[in-house]
Amino acid sequence: MPSVRNLLAAATVVALAFGGTPAVAAPVDAPVSTAFSTVAIEEHETVPTPSDGDLWPSCWSNDDNLYAANGDGKGFTTDGAFADVAVSQIRGTLPKLTGETLSRSERISSVWSGPGYTRKPTGMVCVNGTIYLAVQDLALDFNEVPAATIVKSTDHGRTWTWDHSKPMFDNHAFTTIFFTDFGKDSAWAPDNYVYAYGLDNNWRDSFDDRVADPQDVYLARVPKTKVQDRRAWEFFSGTTERPRWSRDISKRVSVLHDGRRLYQQTYNPNLVSNLSVVSQGGVTYDKPLKRYLYTSWTEFTFEFYESPTPWGPWKRFLSKDFGGYPWSAARAGGYGTTIPSKFLSADGRTAYVQANVCPCGGGGNVYHFSLRKMQLTPATPSQPTNLPDGTVNLATAPGTVPISKSTHAGRLDYLNDGDKNTAEDDSDGEVKTASWWGYTWPRQYNVNRVDFTSGPVTDTGGWFTGRPRVQLRHNGEWVDATAQSISPAYPGDNTAGAGKTYTITFKPDAADGIRVYGVPGGTRTYTSVSELAASYVSQLADGGFEAPAGGPSAWSFEGTAGHGVDRGLGFAHSGQNNGWIRTSGTGWSALSQQVPVTPGTTYTFSTWERSSSALTEGRFGVRLGADGSTVLGQTTFGATDAYAQRQVTVTIPANVHTVTVYAGFVAPGTDTWIQLDDFTIAAQ
C-alpha cells in the first residue's frame, strides 16, 4: 500500500508536469478496521501491583521475567527513593505479580537538554538476553521532547551503558520511541531486525501549538546487534512492491496518520479539550492472530489500531471512551497504554492492557503498573440463521459486547440486566453532538426491532433531541436501518420520561452490530438508558406509515396507479400518516411487503382500510413463493366509507421463512382510491 506522503508527492509531480499548481490534500486518517467483530475491554484495572510510577514500557526477557520502566515514582521498591526513571523486574503469573526495582535515574541515562527537562522511559525491547530502553528528554511542562537515546543492559536491568557524549536522536525528530514487542526475547520477530516506532516531539495527546500536526507515527528498523549504532538505523520511506528503507531520516514517511480530535469542546474550562489521538503507547505482535496492535490514548480514551505488517496498512479498531474526570474505581482510563506479550493467551484473543493515570478524584488513582483484560474476537464470515422469535433478546446472545459513546458509572452491563431500576448515562463533560447505546456481536443476526427504555431524565440531559434512530453495522460501518418507525412517538425533549420504553421497528436486515443513535439533549448534552433489547420478530416494517419522509420505503408497489403516504392530513386511522393508492385506469395495484415468519406457526394478518364508492374488488392477503405468486390466504372487500379492519389467518408451511403481505384493488376504469393504515401480524 503506497504511503499517504508518496501519493501526495505523485500528485505534485503530475500537477507540475501539466503546468499547474499542486493541490495539497489532507492526509487520510486511519480507516476503520474489520479485523475484529467484537472487542471488549474492562472499565477499570483488575490486576493492580504494589508499585509506584507511570508509563511502564516493558519487555519479556529470556529469563521468563517481565522488565518494565516507570517514570516519576519509586518503582516496585515503594519505600525507596523517588526517581524520574526506574527499571524493575516483574515476576509471577496473572493474577499474582511481584516486582523488584533494579536501577534508577542517572544510572540509567543522561539528561541531554539541560535544566527544565527530565528523563522519561518510552520503549523497551529484549533481544538475545539484552534489554534496550528508549529514554527521552521531556520538558517539565510536558510539551516538548527535543532528544532521546537508547540505553543497554546485559545483566537484566541492573546496570546500563550508553554513549555519554550525545543523544541518538535530537532536533525533536523521532524522539518518542517504542519498540515492537515480539514475545519472549523477541522470539516472534520475522527477521534479524528490531523494529521501532517514533513520534516527533509528542509523547501524549498534544497540547503544543508549536506542532502543526503531531498525528503521525513513523517506523524504523535496525539490526539486532546494532541497536545503539545510530548509523545502522533505517527509516521506512514508502512501498512499491516491497517496503523501502532509507538511512536518511528526512526521507521517512508516516505509516499511520490519524487526525481526529476528540472532546473538541468541554463544559468545564478546566477539563482539557481538542485531544489528538496519536500518543506514546506500544506495538505488540499478536502472533496467533497474525496482527500488529498499536495502543494509543487521549486524556479520556484508549485508541487501538491493527495491521498485518509493521508498516501497515494500519486501521482503527476501537476507541474506548471513559468520559471526563472525575474517574472512579469502577471507571478509569489511563495513559502510556501497552500490551505486554507475556500475558497474551495461547490463542491471542485475550490480552491485558497496561495503563496508568495520575489521581483524578473519586478513587481513579492508578499510578502503578496496572493491567486490565481485553477480549478480541476475529471477524469471520457468517450468515444469520435466527428465526423471528419475539422471546429471544439478542442483547443476551453469546459473545455480545455492549457499546456506548462513553459511560458515567462504567456500567454497560445495565443495558441488558433486565432491571429498569438501574441505568447508565454518558454525561462526560463534552459538548457533543452524538450519543449511542448498543451491541456488537461475533456473528451476524437477523434483526428488525429495538426496545429502548430511557434512564433518568432532567433538564441537564438524559434524552435525545429530536428522534433517535437505529443504526446497523455492516462491514465495520454504521448505517441507518431502513423504514424506521417509533412507538409511542418520541417527543425529542425532556418529556421523554424516565423508565419509558420506546419500540423502534424497521425493515429486516442482517448485521453484526446495532445501536440507538441520536443527538443528546439537555444543558449538558447526554442521554441515559436503563434497558436496551434487540430482536427479530414477525412484523411489518412501517405498518403505520410513520417512518420519516425521504428515506427508502419498506413497501413495494405493484401496478401503475398513483400511490404514496398522506402525512398529517387527518386521513390516518391512527397516528399521523396513512398509505394510499389512486387511479382512473384499470388493472391490479397494491402495496406489498415481505414479512419474516416461522414455519408451522399460525398468524393473523390485519389492516385497516377505507375507499371511494367506486371500489368493487379490494383484496388483502398473504402470498408464498420467491415472487409472491402463490396465494396462501386472501379476503376481498368492496367500497367502505369508514375505516374497516380486514384480516387473514394462515398457517405457514414447512421450510417457508418469508411471506408477502399485500393490500390493493382491481381498478374498474373510473376514479378509485383506497387508504390503508395499521398493518399488523399476530401469532396464534
Side-chain angles (χ1 to χ4, degrees):
M1 174 182 173
S3 72
V4 171
R5 293 195 177 183
N6 283 349
L7 293 175
L8 293 180
T12 301
V13 171
V14 171
L16 292 176
F18 286 90
T21 300
V24 179
V28 178
D29 291 343
V32 174
S33 169
T34 57
F36 305 111
S37 57
T38 62
V39 182
I41 185 168
E42 293 174 317
E43 297 281 347
H44 55 87
E45 69 167 356
T46 50
V47 185
T49 61
S51 53
D52 177 65
D54 63 358
L55 301 176
W56 298 103
S58 64
C59 65
W60 184 11
S61 192
N62 62 340
D63 62 356
D64 204 35
N65 293 313
L66 191 74
Y67 291 85
N70 69 274
D72 289 350
K74 300 177 181 179
F76 275 81
T77 308
T78 54
D79 59 350
F82 173 90
D84 56 355
V85 59
V87 172
S88 298
Q89 180 191 74
I90 302 175
R91 301 179 293 271
T93 58
L94 297 178
K96 181 65 175 179
L97 300 175
T98 60
E100 176 189 0
T101 300
L102 307 173
S103 53
R104 52 173 52 87
S105 296
E106 67 277 356
R107 295 185 178 182
I108 294 176
S109 181
S110 304
V111 177
W112 309 100
S113 305
Y117 296 87
T118 186
R119 286 167 287 242
K120 286 291 183 293
T122 62
M124 290 187 85
V125 65
C126 299
V127 184
N128 298 328
T130 297
I131 301 175
Y132 296 95
L133 169 65
V135 184
Q136 67 180 194
D137 285 0
L138 179 63
L140 295 179
D141 66 0
F142 300 148
N143 288 331
E144 187 188 11
V145 182
T149 203
I150 295 170
V151 300
K152 179 176 75 172
S153 174
T154 57
D155 58 2
H156 291 107
R158 287 168 175 78
T159 61
W160 298 86
T161 58
W162 66 95
D163 182 350
H164 290 253
S165 66
K166 62 182 183 302
M168 287 180 60
F169 296 91
D170 56 16
N171 198 29
H172 304 85
F174 212 79
T175 49
T176 296
I177 302 167
F178 41 94
F179 302 97
T180 305
D181 183 345
F182 280 116
K184 184 177 180 179
D185 209 34
S186 297
W188 301 337
D191 49 36
N192 290 318
Y193 288 94
V194 167
Y195 286 84
Y197 295 84
L199 313 178
D200 289 353
N201 195 47
N202 178 33
W203 73 282
R204 62 172 187 172
D205 47 333
S206 177
F207 306 114
D208 187 359
D209 293 335
R210 293 168 292 183
V211 182
D213 188 15
Q215 306 270 40
D216 289 287
V217 181
Y218 301 96
L219 172 65
R221 69 178 187 178
V222 61
K224 291 180 178 179
T225 58
K226 297 183 178 181
V227 175
Q228 287 184 302
D229 183 354
R230 174 63 181 81
R231 298 167 299 175
W233 282 62
E234 299 177 323
F235 298 88
F236 176 77
S237 57
T239 57
T240 48
E241 294 181 358
R242 302 171 62 182
R244 299 194 308 271
W245 304 91
S246 174
R247 292 189 177 179
D248 184 349
I249 193 172
S250 69
K251 293 183 179 179
R252 67 199 169 127
V253 298
S254 169
V255 294
L256 185 153
H257 175 89
D258 194 345
R260 290 177 299 133
R261 291 278 175 169
L262 306 185
Y263 283 77
Q264 294 186 25
Q265 187 177 359
T266 56
Y267 288 104
N268 183 348
N270 295 319
L271 202 64
V272 294
S273 59
N274 199 33
L275 308 175
S276 58
V277 296
V278 171
S279 300
Q280 174 188 333
V283 172
T284 298
Y285 181 56
D286 191 329
K287 183 181 179 181
L289 300 185
K290 296 181 172 61
R291 274 292 186 274
Y292 292 81
L293 307 177
Y294 167 43
T295 51
S296 186
W297 53 279
T298 73
E299 191 84 1
F300 307 128
T301 72
F302 288 169
E303 303 294 321
F304 295 95
Y305 305 81
E306 59 82 19
S307 171
T309 72
W311 45 86
W314 286 93
K315 298 181 180 180
R316 171 171 49 96
F317 69 86
L318 179 67
S319 180
K320 175 62 177 177
D321 193 331
F322 295 93
Y325 305 135
W327 286 343
S328 68
R331 175 186 63 93
Y335 57 88
T337 48
T338 58
I339 297 177
S341 62
K342 180 176 171 63
F343 307 124
L344 281 173
S345 63
D347 63 3
R349 298 186 178 204
T350 300
Y352 282 83
V353 177
Q354 187 286 134
N356 39 82
V357 67
C358 296
C360 296
N365 182 5
V366 191
Y367 199 72
H368 47 257
F369 185 82
S370 164
L371 299 172
R372 69 187 74 194
K373 184 186 295 185
M374 181 169 70
Q375 297 286 149
L376 302 167
T377 303
T380 56
S382 64
Q383 293 295 325
T385 58
N386 58 310
L387 298 177
D389 185 344
T391 66
V392 176
N393 180 6
L394 295 174
T396 61
T400 298
V401 174
I403 59 172
S404 66
K405 188 276 176 188
S406 61
T407 61
H408 188 191
R411 295 302 302 268
L412 281 174
D413 57 311
Y414 285 164
L415 271 65
N416 59 5
D417 65 356
D419 186 355
K420 293 185 179 181
N421 295 315
T422 59
E424 179 61 284
D425 66 70
D426 61 0
S427 174
D428 53 22
E430 182 184 9
V431 183
K432 57 182 180 287
T433 58
S435 180
W436 62 87
W437 305 95
Y439 306 103
T440 56
W441 297 302
R443 53 161 300 159
Q444 287 198 94
Y445 289 100
N446 292 312
V447 62
N448 62 357
R449 170 174 169 152
V450 165
D451 293 285
F452 175 87
T453 303
S454 57
V457 172
T458 70
D459 289 343
T460 60
W463 41 277
F464 288 99
T465 296
R467 179 176 181 163
R469 61 190 191 271
V470 169
Q471 293 189 324
L472 305 174
R473 191 176 68 169
H474 296 153
N475 196 33
E477 299 290 345
W478 293 96
V479 298
D480 287 353
T482 299
Q484 302 182 41
S485 58
I486 187 168
S487 180
Y490 192 84
D493 56 30
N494 62 2
T495 64
K500 189 170 183 178
T501 298
Y502 294 89
T503 298
I504 306 175
T505 60
F506 45 93
K507 190 174 180 179
D509 204 348
D512 63 3
I514 192 167
R515 66 184 185 181
V516 175
Y517 181 95
V519 178
T523 58
R524 288 297 183 266
T525 56
Y526 67 91
T527 62
S528 66
V529 59
S530 63
E531 287 294 306
L532 182 66
S535 55
Y536 182 49
V537 300
S538 294
Q539 68 181 20
L540 286 98
D542 197 24
F545 300 94
E546 301 296 330
S553 175
W555 292 94
S556 299
F557 189 73
E558 304 169 6
T560 59
H563 59 280
V565 177
D566 291 322
R567 297 188 179 277
L569 300 180
F571 301 147
H573 174 256
S574 69
Q576 299 295 311
N577 309 330
N578 61 272
W580 62 267
I581 306 171
R582 187 170 188 170
T583 184
S584 296
T586 59
W588 169 249
S589 294
L591 291 170
S592 64
Q593 183 178 147
Q594 285 196 331
V595 180
V597 291
T598 299
T601 302
T602 298
Y603 296 96
T604 295
F605 297 84
S606 68
T607 187
W608 291 81
E609 64 80 26
R610 69 176 178 178
S611 65
S612 64
S613 59
L615 181 71
T616 58
E617 190 179 349
R619 300 176 186 173
F620 171 64
V622 179
R623 298 192 299 249
L624 300 177
D627 59 355
S629 59
T630 303
V631 175
L632 183 61
Q634 177 178 274
T635 184
T636 59
F637 51 88
T640 310
D641 181 54
Y643 271 106
Q645 189 178 39
R646 309 301 177 186
Q647 291 186 325
V648 173
T649 299
V650 298
T651 299
I652 307 302
N655 300 317
V656 172
H657 296 98
T658 60
V659 296
T660 298
V661 177
Y662 60 91
F665 61 91
V666 178
T670 187
D671 184 27
T672 306
W673 55 264
I674 187 173
Q675 292 172 330
L676 301 160
D677 204 0
D678 295 334
F679 285 79
T680 61
I681 176 175
Q684 302 302 302

